[in-house]
Amino acid sequence: QVQLVESGGGLVQPGESLRLSCAASGSIFSINAMSWHRQAPGKQREFVARVTRAGTTNYAGSVKGRFTISRDNAKNTVYLQIVSLKPEDTAVYYCRAQDMGALKDYWGQGTQVTVSS
């Protein structure tokens, strides 16, 4: 019903910036909130940031200050701006869409972010 496609990842050096994008398609009228999560090799997936359709945001304490989530409802797209990238940011970044009324949850395929000198 809802498809999510992440993009914008890549190989960057420490201190550089990236903007990740997540485009939603399908029954997008049902989406109440979208969020970013990341998973490093050998580690559990962790929450990064969330934004509601109305624009309310929240962040994991570990990333607040360097990560900014935003959304463009007209484009059905959510973004994650990351500044001052660090090696510990290396992970696959996943987009999540929530239909809270129907208790449905959707995930994208992920985009790889690698921070290395």
Side-chain angles (χ1 to χ4, degrees):
Q1 286 279 309
V2 175
Q3 296 80 44
L4 304 173
V5 179
E6 301 98 329
S7 62
L11 175 62
V12 298
Q13 295 186 349
E16 296 294 324
S17 300
L18 281 175
R19 190 179 76 158
L20 309 183
S21 299
C22 174
S25 61
S27 301
I28 50 87
F29 57 85
S30 65
I31 298 174
N32 304 117
M34 297 180 69
S35 58
W36 287 96
H37 306 249
R38 66 184 182 183
Q39 186 168 18
K43 299 182 179 179
Q44 296 198 7
R45 188 173 300 184
E46 65 174 341
F47 165 78
V48 173
R50 175 177 285 109
V51 62
T52 69
R53 185 173 293 274
T56 302
T57 61
N58 67 291
Y59 298 88
S62 60
V63 305
K64 189 174 183 179
R66 293 193 300 115
F67 288 50
T68 303
I69 190 169
S70 61
R71 88 277 181 266
D72 187 333
N73 289 337
K75 295 182 178 180
N76 302 314
T77 300
V78 65
Y79 305 93
L80 185 68
Q81 179 72 41
I82 314 173
V83 301
S84 300
L85 278 156
K86 306 178 184 300
E88 52 262 43
D89 295 321
T90 296
V92 178
Y93 284 72
Y94 296 93
C95 182
R96 179 194 184 196
Q98 296 173 261
D99 179 348
M100 291 181 285
L103 300 179
K104 293 183 178 179
D105 189 72
Y106 307 90
W107 291 89
Q109 83 291 340
T111 184
Q112 176 72 51
V113 173
T114 302
V115 185
S116 177
S117 60

